[in-house]
Amino acid sequence: MTAFSLETAQLAWCAELRALADERLRPLAEKGEPGRVNRALLVELGALGLLPRLFTSGALDLCLMRESLAHACTEAETALALQGLGAHPVHAHGTETQRARWLPRVSDGSAVAAFALSEPDAGSDAAALSLGAEPDAGPADVGAAGTGGAHAGGADARGAHAGGADAGRRGAPGTTRPVTPGTTTAGRPGTGTARPGAGRGAEASRPPGPGTPDTGRPGPEPSRPAPDAHGPGARQAPAPASLAADRDGPSAWRLTGEKCWISNAPEADFYTVFARTTPGAGARGVTAFLVPADRPGLTGTPLDMLSPHPIGALAFDAVPVTTDDVLGEADRGFRVAMDTLNLFRPSVGAFAVGMAQAALDATLAHTTARTAFGGRLRDLQTVAHQTAEMALRTEAARLMVYAAATAYDEGAPDVPRRSAMAKLLATETAQYVVDRAVQLHGARALRRGHLLEHLYREVRAPRVYEGASEVQRGIIAKELYRTLDATTEEAGA
């Protein structure tokens, strides 16, 4: 692979995206409710032509979009990324009918997509899914399922990343509700339950980006979801059941179990759901299904997370699906999941690089303007060396992300290793850079509403979702030894 550098046209496009995010997207993000899907923001992303590009661009373009948007408006970046993550399996593995029904609506922002992979007891171990697809004794009673509700919920593998206690409690956190069309008190399609959230302080030099985990971007996953454990007097959540797919005749199943840490849940309009169709078969017994939010038996609950993004848990009570809902092939859904993650993992790194660059830029401005000890902060060697280290790590992460994305676009054989390396380095780097930026800013960076306070909460989740840092290290080692073994075998032959 040749040395990497962006073309002049690409640099200009990135600058244009940063300006659009600052001038047109951030004002819409500010009007959204923490922890809720911002449909007005999605519509604007569609009108600007960014959502359609999810299905026409390569991995590098996706990374450039995510990095540029994240620099000025993390909410816009996350909204775009979640649409892509939830809908990519439909684009890449769906039937003509599935694509024709959903992709135009995803592209114009009128339908919200979600990627439902993680389970309470199988967060990082995607091959251990147990949401079951059981055979049904008769024809699947799809009912209104084919209509596609106006808002379903679903979080992607991005793990913990929604809501935050300080961002305001969500109305009725202890309730479980059907995932069916509704309208929020704010007048946009939603779950029908208002979840007020406190706004950020006015001090920020610019409004903090979307508080998504990030996509919830929290710490270690609990052994089970606790959607009812928020707030005084909340009910205890029942013990979770993994998602199983039971046969419902020769061409139908019933989905029973739970999904957790699902971004956009419970407000998405459809979910890409991964369920076990063959017990005991590991990765080879998982099937991907396209499940509209209004399928009977599908309910969802919002989760209250560190960073206020839309994320929740989903419950499947004998939800009917048929072969018409399968994405790809039955029992080959793990391939659908890994294909999607190999594309999106480098772009998670791009999201992290965008946040790191925003923190670095803020630090350069602050240390130039701030006087202390008889001079500017930037003139202190200890400060100058820290900013140099922040810049060094950010640029190294950026180059690795671009290289991994280019490898994906070229169909290189080492994409899994490169994708894992890019996500690992970039997310760990962003955590370091944002932490250093907070330290150099001092107490003001910890005040509610400050850009760095927002980034500090936002930057944590990417190290967890779409494969935690430990998982990425495992992938890298596995790929290295696989290459070594193949080389040794070839030499021996």
Side-chain angles (χ1 to χ4, degrees), residues 153-178:
D156 51 54
R158 302 171 75 106
H161 103 237
D166 339 352
R169 302 290 181 189
R170 287 164 180 57
T175 62
T176 300
R177 59 177 180 266

Side-chain angles (χ1 to χ4, degrees), residues 117-128:
L117 176 64
S118 293
E119 295 183 1
D121 296 314
S124 295
D125 187 3

Side-chain angles (χ1 to χ4, degrees), residues 94-409:
T95 64
E96 287 300 325
T97 300
Q98 290 169 334
R99 289 196 289 264
R101 177 181 175 190
W102 290 109
L103 296 187
R105 294 183 58 198
V106 170
S107 296
D108 65 17
S110 63
V112 178
F115 187 81
L117 176 64
S118 293
E119 295 183 1
D121 296 314
S124 295
D125 187 3
L129 297 182
S130 49
L131 172 73
E134 302 177 352
D136 199 348
D141 177 18
V142 180
T147 62
H151 90 258
D156 51 54
R158 302 171 75 106
H161 103 237
D166 339 352
R169 302 290 181 189
R170 287 164 180 57
T175 62
T176 300
R177 59 177 180 266
V179 184
T180 50
T183 304
T184 66
T185 54
R188 63 172 183 260
T191 59
T193 301
R195 292 177 289 166
R200 302 185 184 101
E203 159 194 0
S205 57
R206 68 177 178 199
T212 32
D214 357 75
T215 252
R217 306 177 170 175
E221 299 180 357
S223 59
R224 62 185 57 182
D228 297 329
H230 304 300
R235 296 179 294 122
Q236 290 299 313
S242 297
L243 187 60
D246 295 330
R247 274 285 179 186
D248 190 8
S251 61
W253 298 263
R254 293 277 178 170
L255 302 180
T256 303
E258 293 188 1
K259 291 289 181 180
C260 194
W261 318 126
I262 307 303
S263 296
N264 281 346
E267 297 181 64
D269 295 296
F270 72 91
Y271 301 89
T272 295
V273 177
F274 298 87
R276 178 155 303 288
T277 42
T278 300
R284 300 189 179 187
V286 173
T287 299
F289 295 96
L290 194 166
V291 183
D294 56 1
R295 284 286 164 91
L298 176 57
T299 57
T301 307
L303 297 177
D304 198 7
M305 309 298 288
L306 175 67
S307 189
H309 297 279
I311 191 169
L314 297 173
F316 296 77
D317 184 8
V319 174
V321 291
T322 72
T323 52
D324 291 339
D325 300 311
V326 172
L327 293 169
E329 302 176 51
D331 283 347
R332 295 294 181 266
F334 191 75
R335 182 182 306 167
V336 175
M338 292 305 103
D339 171 66
T340 303
L341 293 177
N342 281 337
L343 169 62
F344 276 84
R345 276 173 177 161
S347 73
V348 174
F351 170 50
V353 168
M355 288 189 288
Q357 188 65 54
L360 174 60
D361 291 347
T363 300
L364 293 173
H366 172 71
T367 55
T368 295
R370 180 85 162 90
T371 58
F373 308 106
R376 296 179 298 181
L377 279 182
R378 60 183 276 181
D379 296 327
L380 297 175
Q381 187 180 67
T382 183
V383 172
H385 284 187
Q386 287 187 70
T387 55
E389 184 69 19
M390 291 161 67
L392 173 70
R393 297 195 190 193
T394 299
E395 186 65 12
R398 175 181 287 114
L399 292 175
M400 181 163 279
V401 165
Y402 291 175
T406 302
Y408 183 96
D409 289 339

Side-chain angles (χ1 to χ4, degrees), residues 30-44:
E30 291 175 2
K31 296 176 182 177
E33 296 178 57
R36 300 299 303 272
V37 171
N38 188 330
R39 291 185 177 254
L41 182 60
L42 281 174
V43 170
E44 185 66 10

